[in-house]
Amino acid sequence: MEKFLDDLNEKQREAVLQTEGPVLIVAGAGAGKTKTITHRIFHLIKSGVNPRSIIAITFTNKAAREMRERVEKLCLADEALAKLYTAGDKPFISTFHALGVQIIKQNCRELGLPRFFAIYDKADGKKLVKEALVIKNHDPKQYDPAKIMHVISGEKGKGVTAPQYAENIGKEYFPRIVSGVWLEYEKMLAREKALDLDDLLLVTAQLLTKNADIRQYYQNLWRYIHIDEYQDTNTVQYQIARLLSDSHLNICVVGDADQNIYSWRGADIGNILRFEKDFPNAKVVLLEENYRSTKTILDAANEIIKKNKVRIEKNLFTKKASGDKIGVFESWSEIQEASFVASKALTLIEKGVSPDEIAVLYRANFQSRTLEEAFMSLGIPYSMVGVKFFERKEIKDALSFVRAALNRDSWTDIGRVINIPPRGIGQATIEKLRFGLDDKISPAIGKKVGGFFGLLDKIAHKAKTSSASETIKYVLKETGFGEKLARGTDEDVERAENLMELVTLASRYDELPPNESIETFLGDAALATGEETPDENGKKQATVKLMTVHSAKGLEFDYVFITGLEQDLFPHKKGREAGLSQHEAEEERRLFYVALTRARKKIFLTYSQSRTIFGEQEFHSPSEFLYDIPAEHTEREFLATKDVQGDGDFENEEKTIEF
């Protein structure tokens, strides 16, 4: 047996040595999938396969870079292969989008594109959509370009073109708006010899489908195909994989249906579930040995995920010891919950644990604010993965309304919100207003301006006569943008939840006199930074990571806190009064499974009896997920009693929490 195979377990070796025909590697969390892929590529090269005949596709530049580095390290360590590798014979390892760029550039004449065609990112695409709306005589203030761009992107991911979409939209109003704008958008892209990010995949799939010679060329070029994170592929990515492999069927896909958590991005779990149907002679290898987590963590994760019906059966195991039990902590409020999390994190740090090895996960972004406050109050270094609470656009918009109402000289704030909701007031008008040139504004525009400043007058009056929370509620009601978000996409709903959390945060200042209440709140909001700071040596400081569960995918930490485990929060109700569908419910369970499997040593699960939502106290039951973890794997923290003052301080009772 080759020496390099000694580093692999039995199932990993099986996957590495199966080089011919279709192979499905079902790789559980922490089971060494990247190691398996890179050793498989190395084995192919060592067996005499031309490195240029090998391709490996993944989803992120980081993952592609790591894979390239690992393959290079293996090859350079082999005396017989080092010279070959350094001479430039290397496998093609990239993201799906980079693959699309490669194929399109090589066939640009066939597509009528210059070799250095423009690639428009999401911001560029949104700008073009906005222009297309104007061309089609629609107000970009009325029809959100970002939302239209979201629809276009989703349809392209399904392999749908603008003409195809136009044929199938029926008589619904908004899809008809989208269709007209999309067709115009495509004309603009064509004029500018540009493709957007979704086109890089869609055009590639179309090219391979329509041109047999080009398809055959790439099938002959890449004889050994590897697709990472196959459960996250959308329709077009699936098509590309099939088109490249159909002649030789040497395709190896790696993934885990239990970690499919991106359906809202277009990921189709069906791609991995039907692999054996697509490739009847496929070899299936289960990587079930986990090298990351303790036995206790894996037993809990297995119990959680086995309740899903749509999955590929597997059971993670480890040779590690059982380790610490899973801590379960019940609090009276979200403030007490955050205080507990911060205190536990501080205790770990004081015992010598690096802050970098601690992560705090939450289902929804609005939960981060209370956690940030708790970490700041104890002086614990932390960093947010994603946008900090007060840096989020919807939060800035809401606060700008109040600041503009109370300070008519704050033109930054006025300029930010003067077209929320849409009023059609252009930048030229704003500049005239700023410099006192009101007489230069037309009567029609003047009426719109008057309506806006009338709104500011009402907000100012509300701020001076009401509490901070009532003021924020008034802003959301009078502008309507909070309600509009609540009816939008999943992303919009999340932004609406952030606005609700802003109201909750403001309610803490309601005991202060009117006017003072909102002013104090605005001042504290402006000072709430929580930025990462360098240490004394100028190096980046180690920090506890605060992030959504989605953001934690692919990461691992010694200690993981999973917060807000309350029914309707995690699993997330997502604003649906009728409850979750089976598909949505199973994806929520997969999301919790992903959260559990981020931890190496210990997990803390926290939830609150009550949580303040939109300034109102709501009472919640524990998440159904907590009932699914066997009691022998958990240890219950003391039950926190309600604090009399409501300031987050609490006493502990020796009471066991039973599920």
Side-chain angles (χ1 to χ4, degrees), residues 254-272:
V254 187
D256 181 9
D258 292 337
Q259 297 188 69
N260 173 267
I261 60 174
Y262 295 119
S263 64
W264 50 280
R265 289 184 186 173
D268 184 357
I269 195 173
N271 293 344
I272 192 169

Side-chain angles (χ1 to χ4, degrees), residues 36-155:
T36 304
I37 298 173
T38 53
H39 275 70
R40 190 177 194 270
I41 293 171
F42 175 71
H43 173 60
L44 284 166
I45 299 172
K46 196 169 177 63
S47 301
V49 173
N50 187 330
R52 295 180 181 272
S53 298
I54 303 169
I55 182 172
I57 308 299
T58 188
F59 277 81
T60 66
N61 290 319
K62 180 183 176 183
R65 183 169 60 252
E66 182 183 357
M67 202 176 292
R68 282 194 295 269
E69 289 172 352
R70 289 201 189 187
V71 171
E72 182 174 4
K73 186 176 180 180
L74 286 168
C75 289
L76 294 181
D78 188 289
E79 190 175 340
L81 297 180
K83 186 178 289 185
L84 173 71
Y85 203 84
T86 54
D89 286 330
K90 299 178 181 180
F92 185 80
I93 301 174
S94 78
T95 63
F96 269 104
H97 287 95
L99 171 66
V101 171
Q102 172 101 337
I103 292 175
I104 292 169
K105 279 191 173 183
Q106 291 175 343
N107 299 278
C108 52
R109 290 186 179 179
E110 176 76 18
L111 296 165
L113 290 168
R115 180 167 177 78
F116 297 102
F117 61 90
I119 300 173
Y120 285 2
D121 61 16
K122 295 294 184 185
D124 296 326
K126 181 181 171 181
K127 185 179 178 182
L128 278 193
V129 166
K130 189 175 180 178
E131 292 177 17
L133 277 164
V134 173
I135 292 172
K136 302 302 291 186
N137 296 314
H138 301 305
D139 186 357
K141 306 296 183 183
Q142 183 179 358
Y143 301 102
D144 186 1
K147 188 173 289 186
I148 293 175
M149 194 71 232
H150 178 77
V151 175
I152 294 172
S153 179
E155 292 297 320

